[in-house]
Structure formats: structure tokens, C-alpha cells
Amino acid sequence: MSDYKIETKCIQSGYRPGNGEPRIVPIYQSTTFRYTSSEQMGRLFDLEESGYFYTRLQNPTNDAVASKICDLEGGTAAMLTSSGQAANFYAIMNIAQAGDHIVCASALYGGTYNLFAHTIRKMGVEATFVDPDCTQEELESAFKDNTKAVFGETIANPALVVLDFEKFAEAAHRHGVPLIVDNTFATPINCRPFEWGADIVTHSTTKYMDGHAACVGGAIVDSGNFDWMAHADKFPGLTTPDVTYHGIVYAEKFGKMAYIMKATAQLMRDLGSIQSPQNAFLLNIGLETLHLRVARHCENALKVARYLQSQEKVAWVNNPSLPGDKYYDLARKYMPGGSCGVLTFGLKGGREAAVEMMDKLKMIAIVTHVADARSCVLHPASHTHRQMNDQELIEAGVQPDLIRFSVGIENAEDIIADLEQALK
């Protein structure tokens, strides 16, 4: 499908029915798959033959949807996971182990920050967080001999910091490690990180890709561009024999498919964070309208941002596509068609005023979610990032008064009217 435009890929990629077969991706609601030959089953377990034998590893529904996301991102191979958190965890732990180190942009979703700052630290993987606006020299100083990856978000949640791909990719590649980018907020409709030097992309498919708050999920896409064998000493999991699969060397046997094959054969086998086939089916329905919804989200967000800028009670407004925004130029460079439908703002009354205003909203809901069809708000300091102290909040780009507003695809006038009555 590589010759088609991205709008066509949203609908046509991933699944091509044959004559008399279902028009849409079927739900393969089965934990297991039957074979008549014991020898063939053995070849599947040895990774000598492709096929399905247990849904914890792979399922035809999931693979069709993963293939669509892979095509949208311009990657080589992809896999679905049970959540965006699982995707980020697998993306790192597929190439890191106890005693290793990663470099992360500090402006991250609160759950991802916790995952890297605390959970994987207990597993022996240390993370160094750097200001995404740091100089090249400051970024270089974060690397260690045991660094295995660099991680950042295209548009940070909720700080709305735009990652400078070229700066981070250049540093990562100079140190012989891949750049991993969470592309959830931009989606491949507005940004394709592989075109700017990223090597691996992750998604919380729960957000814009699903678009309807119907199913939790995640995805990992590999560009196939990073040469694991060129840095064989850094990545023994990919470049030395895997004793659990009769000595297979993934980078040699699977080439550009090595990273996703290892993540599936090892991590999904042992940890089992699989996305259910029913959720994958719902995700695919969301993907078919992704190109339409993202454009409307972005259009509405700009209208709402301009309205908020005009209000006396509003202290500040951020959106990367808003002229005058700190990251406007970077957004125009990496996302010329638009950034995302999320904006942040603060009130002159501070944290207390923010909470009070949110409680007055009628149509716009307070929910622990972002990036679906319905407009919703959240106060990160009180909700998603409440485990952080004030210093950690500031480092993550989250002011105590910050309201995260995910602008939906309702009529913009109705959204603004609800804000207006709440502000009054």
C-alpha cells in the first residue's frame, strides 16, 4: 500500500480480502489454532515457519491492524500491545536489561515518567531525564557507556512540548543507539517520525487512533532502519544466540524484522500483554476515520485556543499550532499540517480557580482520558501527575494551574459556549 495516500491507507491497509471472504477484518475470537501435523506445530514453535498457534503471541485480527498502523507510519514491522504503557515498556525492555541505561526527554506523560523513573529502575534499568529544550552539549552529557536507547514524545502529554527530532536522533545515532518516539498525540496523520530520524515509534492506540474511548491498546512500529549488527556489542539480545529458541540470532535470521520478532517471541511470550482481538477490531474501525477526525480536532482546538486567549480570566494558553506558541516553529517544521487537538491553559486565579471552573462545565467532561471524539478536561497536578512533587511537575512541563483540554469534534461554537458559561 506504500503508493497510496495516507487517507487511503487508513481504510485499505492491513487487510485485503480474497474472493468471497469477509469485507472487513474478522474477529478471530480464539485462543488457539488447529494443526493436523505435529511437525508443523514444532516448526512454529522454533520460529522456522510463520503462522498462528496461540493468541498470546499473535492473532490474525491483531496482525492485520498492526500492519495498517505500520503502513501509516512507513515502518517495516509492527505489533499491538494491551496498552500504550505496555508498548513503551516493551519498546525499552526489548533492547535493555539490568545494568543498562536510557536517556529520556523529561516532558513525558505522567505514567510513562513513573514507568521509566521508578518501575524499570527496580528491574535494573536507569533513566536520565533531560530537558527537551536542552543544548546539544547538555544532551550529549546524559549518555553513558551502557546507554541503550533515547526516548521522547512527539508532542508531550500534557506539556505540549514538541520534540526536536533531528537533535535527538543525531545524538542517539552518534552513540550507536535508537531513538524511540511516542507518536500518540500527533498520529501518523500529522507526523511520521521515521522521516526525521526516529527508529522506533510507539502509540497509545487508546487515544486518537481508537478515537471513541472504546478500547485500551498500544502499538510498536519498527522502521527497520537501525543496524543492530553494526552495534552488536550493545544489543546482545538481538545479535547473540537466544537459548530459548535453539540459538536463533534475531538480527541474522530476521533482518529488518528482528526487533518486532524478538519482542513478540520473547516479551509477548513471557509477559503476555496482548491486545484482545475484539479491541483490535474496534481500533481498526477508529483508524478508518483517523484522517477525518484529526483534522477536525486540530481545527476546533485552534478556534478554542483563540477564544481563550481573548478572555480576561485566562492567564495563558498553549497549543503548538497557535501562532506565538513557544513550539510553533518546531511544530511547523515537523507537523506542517497541524499538531494535535489538545491545548493547555491556566486561569489568573491559579489552581483553585482551575478546579472551580472545571466543576462548572456542563457538556465538557472531567475524565481521565484524552484525544477522543468528545471534549474533555483534566487537571494533571490533581489527577494524572498527582504522584509528582512540585519540582518534578515543573521538570515535566506541568504547571500547578495547568488544565489539559482535549478538544473534541463537536461544533466549536457549542464547545466555546460551555467554556464561556463556566468561566462566568
Side-chain angles (χ1 to χ4, degrees), residues 34 107 131 166 186 316 337 366:
R34 177 181 180 270
D131 186 332
E166 291 182 325
W316 56 270
I366 302 172

Side-chain angles (χ1 to χ4, degrees), residues 155 186 189-191 294 298 321 331-332 334-340:
I155 305 172
I189 302 302
N190 284 344
C191 184
V294 166
C298 293
S321 295
R332 291 290 296 170
Y334 295 126
M335 295 166 275
S339 55
C340 68

Side-chain angles (χ1 to χ4, degrees), residues 8 12 28 126 170 212 232 267-268 346 361 377:
T8 304
Q12 296 288 349
Y28 286 83
E126 180 190 5
E170 182 182 340
H212 301 86
L267 298 182
M268 195 63 83
L361 293 166
V377 293

Side-chain angles (χ1 to χ4, degrees), residues 243-263:
V243 296
T244 69
Y245 278 110
H246 308 293
I248 282 176
V249 178
Y250 292 97
E252 291 180 351
K253 185 174 181 62
F254 299 108
K256 290 181 177 294
M257 304 284 288
Y259 178 86
I260 293 296
M261 283 298 299
K262 178 179 179 294

Side-chain angles (χ1 to χ4, degrees), residues 9-28:
K9 291 181 179 183
C10 282
I11 298 168
Q12 296 288 349
S13 285
Y15 174 68
R16 300 289 288 176
N19 189 41
E21 293 182 344
R23 182 65 184 89
I24 64 172
V25 179
I27 303 174
Y28 286 83

